[in-house]
Amino acid sequence: MRLTVLVGEGDLHGHRPLYSEIVHRAHRARLAGASVFRGIEGFGASSLIHTTRLLSLSEELPVAVVVVDVAERVRAFVAELREVVGETLVAWVDEVEIVR
């Protein structure tokens, strides 16, 4: 399964970026893998568009954290994430086919 969590680049958990906290927790949980992808443009609940375009630089770009493992481990990790991000969790889980 693949878990995708959307956060803002400036979102924090304590003093650490939220995306970094998620990756480190996934690593401690011994999940198969996790990667962070920085978006170049997007908007969320605030409806403000954040972009990397020169005239409109933003430090609050969208970030996607993608975690993969077997279904039961991913679902257990989602439960742990609620502790970190609370009710603002924007995530989805979908089945994927692993191709090597």
Side-chain angles (χ1 to χ4, degrees), residues 2-72:
R2 173 178 54 198
L3 165 67
T4 304
V5 183
L6 300 178
V7 300
E9 186 176 31
D11 292 347
L12 298 174
H13 179 75
H15 298 292
R16 173 186 268 180
L18 181 55
Y19 61 83
S20 180
E21 181 68 22
I22 294 168
V23 168
H24 282 84
R25 284 177 180 247
H27 185 256
R28 280 196 309 269
R30 299 187 182 270
L31 297 178
S35 296
V36 177
F37 300 94
R38 184 176 188 234
I40 58 172
E41 189 167 68
F43 70 93
S46 72
S47 293
L48 296 174
I49 294 180
H50 304 281
T51 181
T52 59
R53 286 181 283 157
L54 186 59
L55 296 175
S56 174
L57 291 176
S58 173
E59 294 182 4
E60 187 56 27
L61 292 168
V63 175
V65 183
V66 178
V67 178
V68 294
D69 207 314
V70 296
E72 54 274 359

